[in-house]
Amino acid sequence: MDNSKPAPTTIDEYIAGFPPEIQEKLRAMRTTIHAAAPDATEKISYGMPTFYQQGNVVHFAAFKNHIGFFPAPSGIERFTQEIGPYQTSKGTIQFPLTEPIPFDLVTKITEYRVQENLTRAKTKKK
C-alpha cells in the first residue's frame, strides 16, 4: 500500500491502494465475507477493511506476503483443525499470496462470528 497517500476511509479506497493482482484477492475476500455476513456494515477499523454487526465480525488486510484474516481469537479457536496448514496467531490467519485463498473456510468462520456476535447481543439485552 502506498503510505504517502492519506489513510483510506472506505474499503474501496483501501483496495485501490494495492497492485491489481492484490486488488483481485482483496475484492474476492470482500465478496466472500459480504455473502457470509449480508447484514453487516463495512467500515475501516484499525486501518483495515472491517465487517461490523453487533460488534466487529472480521477484518482483512493485505501484507507483503499474505492476506491477513482477523476473525478474533474465538474464530481461530473454533476452526483450529481446518486452519492447520496456515500460519496463525491469537487473532489472525495468514493466507499466502502464492496460494489460493480458502474461501469456504472464510465463509464458515465469518458465519460463525456473525452468530457469535448476535448471540452475545441477545444475552446483553436480557
Side-chain angles (χ1 to χ4, degrees):
M1 190 166 146
D2 183 354
N3 290 330
S4 65
K5 295 181 182 178
T9 58
T10 67
I11 294 179
D12 287 327
E13 288 176 7
Y14 180 88
I15 291 172
F18 291 91
E21 63 276 6
I22 304 301
Q23 288 182 26
E24 185 178 323
K25 289 181 180 282
L26 292 171
R27 277 193 215 93
M29 281 291 287
R30 181 187 197 179
T31 299
T32 300
I33 294 166
H34 179 72
D39 295 327
T41 57
E42 295 183 348
K43 65 180 185 174
I44 297 291
S45 182
Y46 302 104
M48 298 181 282
T50 301
F51 281 76
Y52 183 92
Q53 186 173 355
Q54 300 292 334
N56 291 334
V57 176
V58 296
H59 311 271
F60 66 98
F63 297 91
K64 183 177 179 181
N65 297 311
H66 68 276
I67 300 292
F69 180 56
F70 301 81
S74 61
I76 303 286
E77 293 163 10
R78 171 66 177 80
F79 294 92
T80 302
Q81 295 293 334
E82 291 150 277
I83 293 170
Y86 302 100
Q87 188 164 353
T88 63
S89 66
K90 184 178 178 185
T92 184
I93 306 165
Q94 296 179 8
F95 300 127
L97 293 176
T98 56
E99 297 176 21
I101 295 172
F103 293 114
D104 289 346
L105 179 59
V106 171
T107 296
K108 285 197 280 189
I109 293 171
T110 302
E111 289 172 344
Y112 172 78
R113 289 285 300 128
V114 167
Q115 287 307 310
E116 186 175 50
N117 282 6
L118 293 175
T119 300
R120 187 178 334 103
K122 284 181 187 176
T123 302
K124 282 184 179 179
K125 288 182 180 178
K126 290 182 179 180

